[in-house]
Each structure stands twice: as C-alpha cells, then as structure tokens.
Amino acid sequence: MAVLKEIDHLTFPNALRMFLALVAMNYCSVPILNACSKMIQENVHDVPFRQLLLILEACYHLQYRNEKFFSALADYVGSTVCLWDKKQIILFLSVFELLGFQPSELMGTFAEKVTEDPEFLNLKNLLIVLRVYSRLNYVPRGQKDLFFETLHSCLNKYLPQISNTDLLRASYSLCVLGYLPHSALDELLQKDSRDELLLSDNLYKEQKEMMLCSVKACMELDSPSFTKPAFVLTENLSSSVSLNLRKAREALIELLGDENMFRQNVQLPYKYHIDFEIRMDSERKKVLPVAAADDQIDSSVQRLAFLFVPLSAFCLGTTHPQGKLAMKERHLNKLGYHVILVLNKKFQEMTNEDAIEFLKGKIYSENSFSEVTMQDNN
C-alpha cells in the first residue's frame, strides 16, 4: 500500500529495483508491476541486457503476464538486433518461451541469422533454439524448408557426441514442427538407445515416454506415404466426463436430443484423446447416431473432434496453438477428423442458452473447422 501511494512518483531506477524486490518477496502485485512495466517500457533503451533478462525472468517467477510489455521488449530487441550477440538473442528467446509468449518478428529475424550462419550454434544453443521454435510453434515464412534443413544439418553434425536424452529432445522438437530428421531418428530408435532412455530409475522416464510416443506418431502420420485411413478404431475411456466438460455434455444432449448422438472422452490411436466426437453426413446437415455411423464407415461420414482447451495451450494473448496442441490438431486431421478448438474458459462463462447456440453454430457451420473459437482478448 505504501508503494501504491507513491506510484505516481516512481522513478525508472526504482521500477527496475521493484521487480527484483517483488521476486525476492515472491509477491505478485499486479498494480505495482503494471506501473513498473510502463516505466521500463518508456525507458527500455537505457536497460542493459542483463537487467532486461532479469526482468523477464522475474515475470516468469511471479507468473506476471503482460502481453503489451513483452511485445515492447521484443520489438526493442528486434529493432536493435545488430547490437546484440546471437547468444544473447537465444537467451531472450528462451525466456520468452518460458513465458509462453511468441515474439514472431524477432523469431523470424533470428531464423534468418541461423540460416545465413549456422556455425555459431553449439549443441547447447541448438537444443535451446529447437525447443523454443517447437514449443512456440513458429515456422519462418518463406524459408521453412531452408530453416529446417539448416537445423537438421547442425543436429547431424553432433550425432557422434550427443547423449540419447538430448537426441530425443532434439528429434521431438523437429517432429512437433512437422519435420522428420531421418538420420537422428534412425539413431534414436535403435534398441540400445530406447533401453537407456527408459531406465526405470530415471526421474524423467514419464516425460521421455511421452516424447518417444509423439516421435513415433510423427514418423507414421507425417510421413509422405501416410494416407488417411478409411476408419479409425476408437474407444470410450469412460461414460463420464470431467467436471469442467459437464456443461458441454449437457448442451450437446439438449441440442442433439440424447447422448447416443455423440461420443465423449474418446481414446484414439497414438494415445490421442478427444473430448467429444460427432459424426455427420457428407453435406454436414445431419448428425448421425453413433451406432449408425459405425455401420457406414466411408467417405460420406464426416467426423468432428471437439477439443476444449485451456488458455495455456496457446501463445500468450493469441489463439495461436503452442507446438504440442498444433501437432495434435495436425495428426487428428491426418486421421480424418475436422478439429474444432474451443477455449474452455470462455465457454464456461456462457449461459446455458448461449452454450447451446454456440455449439450449434460450430457443428453446422462449414467454416468452423480447424479454427480456434472464442478468442480471449483479456
């Protein structure tokens, strides 16, 4: 309260100190941080590299998310990129990745630097770059193939010395982006490598199993030889849905008549899961009962996959899916689903009547496929 009373007299040096003081206290005061952010943003040209990095790290530790502030800092680094060392830019990108914020212009500029001169990428920096671009789901416009090939070439150079764990992380990152690094994958999937990765006493065993499963899914589904199957075996995990999806279930029953018109909590191959599956005729005018649709598995049946997703699945302040969700959406498309992403937070805030109308619009609208709906602008 004492700081807030004096907030109008806040100086630039004190704004910097306040960030670090709040981190030391582990106390997130949004009004104070907003005022400090504004002051720093106005004087960003006077902030040295180390302090800029500390401020962004403070935002992460305090769980403070200010899209305008992050954009201003990213724009500043991007506009003065010639003054920064490439390793400094990597550190900036790494912290932005922790924050879930995609500085697209800066990432595009840096991608050009990587393709022009990849020699500066040692193994540590290569792994960071792969992780950042993968999680934030950023692919440079106009130089996608060159960028991927450059990163793949760098990875191949380190294959003789890379650990199995780092090889898995690097391969996973490229696969998430839809690129298959064949040499690395051949090395990774040797029996010895798999056995070492999945040692029972390894603290990260579960995470590694998830990455291996995703890599294998990418190898099959993203392969040029893969064709959409005539049908996909599915399985209901249970007849119940989680509490936060109960509203959607009730709205679908109200809209479609009964619960035999959709499937819920569906398990697919490759350990993919969808919240609700709806099947329709080829003209998308009529919803088919689940049993009837099972009897006529052919191209005349269209399958809709509803995914109710949290805001954290998207890059901050946008409806641009982060890498893991983008990969899932891509793979569901390959399996023959039309994917509809719904921001669950917004859906839960709707009245029951609005929720029904919303789902009706998404089911019968030809333009709803593969679009994120209900963007949160807060």
Side-chain angles (χ1 to χ4, degrees):
M1 293 304 297
V3 172
L4 287 174
K5 287 178 182 177
E6 300 295 326
I7 205 74
D8 290 339
H9 307 292
L10 185 73
T11 64
F12 171 54
N14 282 338
L16 295 172
R17 295 189 191 102
M18 189 58 63
F19 257 97
L20 303 182
L22 289 172
V23 170
M25 297 164 60
N26 193 28
Y27 180 67
C28 180
S29 169
V30 174
I32 293 175
L33 289 169
N34 284 345
C36 292
S37 297
K38 185 178 179 182
M39 179 65 69
I40 293 168
Q41 188 174 326
E42 292 170 352
N43 297 274
V44 66
H45 291 84
D46 297 323
V47 186
F49 162 74
R50 185 59 192 160
Q51 283 191 305
L52 272 181
L53 211 57
L54 287 173
I55 288 165
L56 288 172
E57 289 172 349
C59 292
Y60 170 70
H61 290 299
L62 294 172
Q63 296 187 359
Y64 173 65
R65 302 293 185 266
N66 185 330
E67 182 194 352
K68 290 183 179 178
F69 181 49
F70 297 162
S71 294
L73 297 189
D75 289 346
Y76 165 63
V77 175
S79 65
T80 57
V81 72
C82 58
L83 304 177
W84 303 97
D85 182 85
K86 294 185 183 76
K87 293 179 182 178
Q88 290 178 316
I89 299 174
I90 289 176
L91 289 175
F92 275 123
L93 292 177
S94 180
V95 182
F96 280 131
E97 179 247 332
L98 283 175
L99 292 164
F101 174 75
Q102 188 199 78
S104 53
E105 289 192 21
L106 179 60
M107 293 180 78
T109 301
F110 186 72
E112 290 179 9
K113 291 186 173 293
V114 169
T115 54
E116 290 169 1
D117 177 28
E119 293 302 316
F120 76 92
L121 283 177
N122 59 26
L123 179 56
K124 178 182 176 182
N125 288 333
L126 173 63
L127 292 171
I128 294 174
V129 170
L130 287 170
R131 188 188 72 233
V132 169
Y133 281 77
S134 171
R135 183 190 166 189
L136 296 178
N137 186 27
Y138 182 85
V139 177
R141 293 178 182 174
Q143 55 171 335
K144 173 182 175 181
D145 293 339
L146 178 59
F147 182 62
F148 284 155
E149 288 165 8
T150 301
L151 293 176
H152 188 195
S153 177
C154 289
L155 178 59
N156 286 343
K157 185 173 67 175
Y158 292 112
L159 286 183
Q161 65 197 74
I162 195 170
S163 71
N164 285 336
T165 298
D166 285 343
L167 179 60
L168 173 59
R169 289 174 178 150
S171 301
Y172 171 76
S173 294
L174 283 167
C175 285
V176 165
L177 288 167
Y179 181 86
L180 300 177
H182 294 289
S183 301
L185 293 173
D186 289 343
E187 186 84 18
L188 176 68
L189 296 178
Q190 290 178 8
K191 185 176 184 302
D192 292 343
S193 299
R194 291 201 311 273
D195 291 346
E196 182 185 323
L197 281 165
L198 300 178
L199 285 173
S200 59
D201 61 344
N202 194 303
L203 290 174
Y204 302 102
K205 181 183 178 184
E206 189 174 323
Q207 183 187 32
K208 290 176 180 178
E209 285 179 336
M210 179 278 294
M211 287 194 287
L212 268 176
C213 182
S214 295
V215 165
K216 290 178 180 178
C218 290
M219 290 178 69
E220 293 187 27
L221 295 173
D222 293 327
S223 169
S225 62
F226 182 83
T227 56
K228 185 173 76 173
F231 65 93
V232 175
L233 293 174
T234 60
E235 175 186 356
N236 271 41
L237 291 176
S238 72
S239 59
S240 62
V241 295
S242 61
L243 286 174
N244 67 347
L245 292 178
R246 193 166 289 173
K247 183 174 188 173
R249 180 180 181 274
E250 291 171 356
L252 285 171
I253 291 174
E254 181 72 23
L255 175 62
L256 302 178
D258 64 64
E259 59 186 18
N260 294 318
M261 303 301 289
F262 60 89
R263 303 184 74 198
Q264 59 194 32
N265 209 12
V266 180
Q267 180 69 48
L268 299 173
Y270 307 101
K271 295 187 177 180
Y272 281 127
H273 162 265
I274 58 178
D275 297 316
F276 298 99
E277 175 185 340
I278 294 174
R279 299 185 183 182
M280 303 186 72
D281 67 305
S282 59
E283 297 181 355
R284 293 206 43 228
K285 295 184 182 296
K286 180 181 177 182
V287 175
L288 305 173
V290 171
D294 284 338
D295 292 337
Q296 51 172 337
I297 300 294
D298 56 42
S299 59
S300 67
V301 176
Q302 297 206 34
R303 290 179 290 171
L304 280 62
F306 275 87
L307 303 180
F308 288 76
V309 291
L311 286 171
S312 58
F314 302 91
C315 294
L316 182 67
T318 74
T319 50
H320 181 76
Q322 294 191 11
K324 200 171 179 180
L325 178 58
M327 175 179 66
K328 180 175 181 178
E329 183 180 4
R330 183 176 75 242
H331 287 170
L332 291 181
N333 289 156
K334 297 266 188 176
L335 291 172
Y337 283 91
H338 300 285
V339 180
I340 300 173
L341 303 177
V342 181
L343 288 173
N344 196 37
K345 178 177 180 290
K346 283 292 186 182
F347 185 82
Q348 296 302 327
E349 293 170 355
M350 287 181 144
T351 64
N352 291 337
E353 293 76 15
D354 288 343
I356 293 169
E357 284 302 310
F358 167 77
L359 291 175
K360 181 179 179 181
K362 293 305 159 188
I363 292 170
Y364 295 104
S365 169
E366 294 182 5
N367 297 321
S368 66
F369 292 157
S370 299
E371 293 181 359
V372 183
T373 58
M374 297 156 51
Q375 180 168 352
D376 189 336
N377 292 315
N378 293 335

